[in-house]
């Protein structure tokens, strides 16, 4: 249906707007906000049958060309136009393009949507996911001409995957904050919980970023994974390959020592880290969550008995999510409360301590070798920096000596000036082959140590060693309010090892976050505390 030219009246003023019946009412409300300055949570648009709601259907309302709508609500500060017009990459020159690509862009907060923005930005630390989304097209759309795709999208079996793909494309192309209206609408349709209104009735309620993470990853399970010729992996979907671990749980009872252990397996998208009064480090919180005591019916004793539950991972994914369990239900106040205890988390995580004995035995040789390789790479990096400084110093010294007195080959004290030669000598001693040569040798050595079953498992970690690449934090003292912020390692976005700092995504405010300040996110107060952490398996 073609867009309609309509009018709105607010506080005695009349505005001309365009209403597109093919878009949700939230899009029209946003246009009204841009004209009147009335925030969405205070806006009421009078239509046939009452007030326009976010889930209203334009077909039932029946808007007409030239129709006038009454808008009720106190206007806030009108939205300010950008200081400079928004430019797309194809319109930029080389200098502007370099500046624009140096810093990613954020997402506009549409009213308590920080939980969604932080989750979307944290998932950007998985470049393989963006590639999989770009290549993903729902199978039923492949058989229709492009002109029919618009009407068929309402029957899209995975609208979240398509909408997230489009949102990431917009974030890549834009140089200013992106408004995630289309994705937010699809998300609320798929997960009605995220469309709940606040208790006061003004605007939408705050939601949980960890729940958003879980809902998104579960609804992306249909996205195809990587297919490698010659492999016969049973995992064909991206989430199963790169983000899913396998947890093996063993139950034994000290009250029934002759009873056979009960063993079960489950696929998990995250590992819990319990936060109790004795937990100071992430590793101990994870161990506490994996080792628990439960009471259940014993088939041999015919009564309830105490069981020791021991869980370990028999498969480590390339991307391992850790959930810091900071919110718990308090029976005394009948309410969810936040645990603000400080819990330190590592930038590098050795996950072999939480694996089964069988998996640890397979991964230990390559893990040990990978640690040795990391040390060798650090040493080479230091040598290259030292050599670079020495050569620069040598060139500067030689130039100064030559310009002061080309004929004088001796120092004032009578000694020969040998600085240039000695530095060059040191350079010769420290000279290295190109880094690519060492990497090829190291990769060959590491690949020879990988167990064949792990090598054939697409998307599985091959080392058991991880680097931290993204954090979702919660700021505030209450569980049902506060603010979510995402922190993403810059190297995860750029692919450059030398990018050691992080990027802070506070909705549409994006800034550089020094790596030295990561320790300030371990909690202990009302400021930002790590809630969801994403680790990436170290590459070969």
């Amino acid at each position: 249906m073609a867009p309609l030219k309509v009018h709105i009246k607010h506080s005695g003023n009349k505005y001309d707007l365009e209403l597109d019946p093919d878009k949700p009412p939230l899009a029209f409300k946003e246009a009204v906000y841009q004209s009147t300055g009335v925030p969405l949570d205070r806006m009421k648009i009078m239509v046939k049958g009452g007030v326009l709601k976010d889930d209203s259907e334009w077909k039932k309302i029946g808007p007409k060309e030239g129709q006038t709508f009454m808008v009720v609500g106190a206007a806030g500060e009108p939205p300010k136009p950008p200081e400079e017009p928004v430019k797309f990459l194809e319109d930029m020159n080389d200098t502007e393009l370099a500046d624009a690509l140096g810093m990613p862009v954020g997402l506009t907060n549409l009213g308590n949507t920080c939980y969604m923005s932080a989750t979307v930005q944290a998932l950007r630390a998985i470049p393989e996911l963006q590639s999989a989304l770009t290549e993903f097209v729902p199978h039923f759309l492949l058989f229709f001409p492009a002109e029919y795709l618009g009407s068929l999208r309402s029957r899209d079996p995975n609208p979240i995957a398509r909408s997230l793909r489009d949102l990431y494309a917009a974030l890549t192309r834009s140089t200013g904050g992106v408004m995630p209206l289309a994705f937010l609408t699809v998300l609320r349709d798929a997960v009605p919980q995220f469309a709940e209104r606040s208790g006061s009735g003004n605007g939408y309620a705050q939601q949980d970023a960890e729940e958003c993470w879980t809902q998104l990853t579960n609804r992306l399970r249909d996205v195809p994974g990587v297919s490698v010729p010659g492999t016969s992996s049973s995992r064909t979907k991206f989430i199963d390959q790169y983000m899913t671990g396998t947890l093996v749980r063993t139950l034994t009872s000290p009250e029934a020592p002759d009873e056979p252990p009960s063993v079960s397996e489950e696929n998990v998208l995250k590992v819990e880290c319990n936060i109790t009064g004795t937990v100071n480090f992430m590793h101990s919180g994870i161990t506490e969550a994996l080792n628990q005591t439960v009471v259940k019916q014993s088939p041999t004793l015919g009564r309830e008995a105490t069981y020791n539950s021991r869980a370990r991972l028999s498969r480590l994914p390339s991307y391992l999510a850790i959930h810091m369990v900071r919110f718990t239900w308090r029976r005394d106040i009948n309410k969810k409360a936040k645990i603000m205890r400080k819990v330190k988390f590592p930038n590098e995580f050795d996950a072999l301590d939480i694996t089964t004995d069988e998996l640890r035995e397979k991964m230990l040789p390559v893990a040990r070798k990978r640690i040795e390789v990391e040390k060798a790479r650090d040493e080479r990096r230091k040598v290259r920096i030292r050599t670079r400084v020495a050569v620069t110093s040598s060139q500067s010294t030689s130039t100064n000596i030559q310009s002061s007195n080309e004929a004088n080959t001796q120092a004032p004290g009578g000694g020969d000036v040998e600085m240039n030669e000695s530095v060059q000598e040191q350079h010769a001693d420290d000279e290295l082959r190109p880094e690519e040569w060492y990497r090829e040798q190291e990769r060959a050595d590491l690949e020879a140590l990988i167990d064949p079953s792990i090598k054939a498992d697409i998307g599985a970690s091959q080392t058991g060693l991880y680097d931290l690449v993204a954090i979702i934090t919660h700021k505030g003292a209450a569980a049902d309010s506060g603010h979510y912020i995402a922190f993403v390692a810059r190297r995860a976005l750029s692919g450059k090892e030398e990018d050691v700092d992080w990027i802070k995504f506070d909705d549409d405010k994006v800034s550089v976050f020094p790596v030295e300040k990561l320790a300030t996110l371990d909690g202990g107060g009302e400021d930002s505390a790590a809630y969801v952490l994403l680790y990436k398996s170290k590459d070969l």
Side-chain angles (χ1 to χ4, degrees):
M1 188 175 182
L4 306 174
K5 300 291 184 181
V6 297
H7 314 288
I8 60 170
K9 280 188 177 181
H10 176 256
S11 299
N13 297 319
K14 190 173 182 180
Y15 305 88
D16 297 328
L17 292 180
E18 190 176 81
L19 188 157
D20 190 344
D22 292 332
K23 294 183 179 179
L26 197 58
F28 182 60
K29 287 185 176 182
E30 179 61 33
V32 174
Y33 165 65
Q34 295 292 335
S35 298
T36 64
V38 179
L40 300 184
D41 56 355
R42 297 205 300 261
M43 181 189 301
K44 291 185 179 180
I45 302 178
M46 312 308 296
V47 297
K48 182 178 66 175
V51 178
L52 179 66
K53 298 181 179 179
D54 292 343
D55 57 355
S56 299
E57 297 182 11
W58 288 118
K59 290 183 179 180
K60 295 181 180 180
I61 298 174
K64 299 178 181 178
E65 185 82 16
Q67 184 174 346
T68 300
F69 295 91
M70 183 67 67
V71 178
V72 179
E77 183 181 356
K80 298 179 179 179
E83 297 180 359
E84 297 180 4
V86 176
K87 286 187 176 181
F88 290 96
L89 298 182
E90 54 267 25
D91 301 325
M92 295 183 179
N93 57 37
D94 292 342
T95 302
E96 293 172 330
L97 191 62
D99 293 339
L101 294 179
M103 183 70 71
V105 299
L107 295 167
T108 304
N109 193 316
L110 300 179
N112 280 338
T113 58
C114 58
Y115 70 94
M116 178 206 69
S117 297
T119 303
V120 168
Q121 297 287 16
L123 285 171
R124 289 179 76 182
I126 309 178
E128 297 92 339
L129 174 60
Q130 296 183 51
S131 298
L133 289 172
T134 301
E135 297 174 4
F136 173 59
V137 178
H139 292 297
F140 84 104
L141 295 179
L142 293 174
F143 306 100
F144 292 89
E147 58 267 23
Y148 294 107
L149 292 182
S151 61
L152 289 172
R153 280 177 175 169
S154 60
R155 288 174 280 169
D156 191 341
N158 200 330
I160 283 187
R162 174 180 51 78
S163 186
L164 183 60
R165 175 200 62 196
D166 295 344
L167 180 58
Y168 281 143
L171 285 169
T172 302
R173 294 178 64 249
S174 179
T175 59
V178 173
M179 187 171 295
L181 183 60
F183 178 75
L184 178 63
T185 303
V186 171
L187 180 63
R188 285 173 173 166
D189 287 342
V191 189
Q193 167 191 344
F194 296 150
E196 292 177 354
R197 310 292 293 190
S198 64
S200 62
N202 296 324
Y204 290 94
Q206 176 67 288
Q207 300 294 335
D208 191 308
E210 186 273 329
E211 292 178 4
C212 184
W213 177 282
T214 301
Q215 293 289 350
L216 275 181
T217 50
N218 274 312
R219 280 166 170 74
L220 294 175
R221 284 186 178 274
D222 290 339
V223 177
V226 177
S227 177
V228 178
T231 61
S232 57
S233 175
S234 60
R235 298 175 182 269
T236 60
K237 304 299 184 182
F238 179 85
I239 297 296
D240 289 338
Q241 289 177 342
Y242 285 86
M243 300 183 68
T244 303
T246 302
L247 197 67
V248 178
R249 192 178 304 277
T250 304
L251 291 175
T252 57
S253 176
E255 300 178 30
D258 297 332
E259 184 176 307
S262 173
V263 181
S264 60
E265 283 190 4
E266 62 174 315
N267 289 327
V268 293
L269 288 170
K270 60 182 181 294
V271 174
E272 306 285 356
C273 174
N274 285 350
I275 302 178
T276 63
T278 59
V279 172
N280 297 314
F281 299 92
M282 185 186 82
H283 186 277
S284 58
I286 293 175
T287 303
E288 187 170 307
L290 296 177
N291 300 329
Q292 296 184 353
T293 300
V294 298
V295 176
K296 75 179 195 74
Q297 189 73 17
S298 170
T300 58
L301 299 177
R303 61 174 174 81
E304 286 190 342
T306 301
Y307 284 80
N308 295 324
S309 173
R310 184 180 186 275
R312 293 293 183 270
L313 288 163
S314 63
R315 181 186 192 267
L316 288 172
S318 290
Y319 291 90
L320 182 65
I322 306 295
H323 171 212
M324 309 288 273
V325 187
R326 290 201 170 272
F327 300 129
T328 183
W329 185 262
R330 289 186 53 180
R331 295 182 180 179
D332 55 338
I333 59 176
N334 199 33
K335 182 177 182 181
K336 190 164 70 169
K338 182 179 179 180
I339 303 172
M340 292 188 286
R341 183 178 180 83
K342 177 180 290 190
V343 178
K344 296 184 179 296
F345 53 86
N347 292 351
E348 296 180 315
F349 178 47
D350 183 348
L352 294 185
D353 289 340
I354 60 174
T355 60
T356 60
D357 295 340
E358 180 184 3
L359 182 60
R360 188 184 305 111
E361 184 178 350
K362 291 180 180 180
M363 304 189 80
L364 199 54
V366 68
R368 286 174 175 169
K369 182 64 176 178
R370 183 61 177 79
I371 293 174
E372 294 178 6
V373 166
E374 188 75 23
K375 291 179 180 178
R377 290 176 181 176
D378 287 341
E379 287 299 320
R380 292 198 301 271
R381 192 176 298 114
K382 292 176 183 177
V383 170
R384 293 184 194 281
I385 293 175
R386 186 169 65 245
T387 302
R388 195 179 305 121
V389 172
V391 171
T392 303
S393 174
S394 120
Q395 292 173 347
S396 175
T397 303
S398 176
T399 301
N400 291 337
I401 293 175
Q402 185 175 4
S403 62
S404 63
N405 189 355
E406 292 182 347
N408 185 13
T409 58
Q410 292 189 341
D416 292 338
V417 180
E418 298 288 348
M419 291 182 66
N420 190 33
E421 292 182 7
S422 64
V423 173
Q424 287 179 346
E425 216 170 75
Q426 181 182 356
H427 177 214
D429 292 340
D430 290 340
E431 190 169 353
L432 299 171
R433 294 174 182 265
E435 182 64 19
E436 293 76 12
W437 184 89
Y438 294 97
R439 294 297 176 102
E440 289 180 6
Q441 300 296 318
E442 291 165 349
R443 175 178 288 275
D445 293 341
L446 288 167
E447 285 183 344
L449 297 173
I450 301 175
D451 187 272
S453 62
I454 296 178
K455 186 178 294 187
D457 189 356
I458 302 171
S461 170
Q462 296 180 335
T463 63
L465 307 174
Y466 289 85
D467 289 319
L468 183 63
V469 292
I471 307 171
I472 298 176
T473 64
H474 179 267
K475 183 177 182 179
D480 297 326
S481 60
H483 184 58
Y484 291 99
I485 301 173
F487 298 81
V488 180
R490 195 162 194 168
R491 66 181 182 277
L493 302 174
S494 67
K496 301 176 181 178
E497 290 184 6
E498 59 269 24
D499 288 340
V500 296
D501 286 328
W502 285 54
I503 301 296
K504 178 182 178 182
F505 293 96
D506 186 356
D507 288 328
D508 57 352
K509 296 183 287 293
V510 182
S511 58
V512 175
F513 191 79
V515 65
E516 297 82 9
K517 290 188 176 182
L518 285 180
T520 64
L521 305 179
D522 53 10
E526 295 186 14
D527 207 353
S528 292
Y531 186 36
V532 178
L533 301 103
L534 182 65
Y535 286 88
K536 178 185 179 182
S537 179
K538 287 181 178 289
D539 297 327
L540 299 184

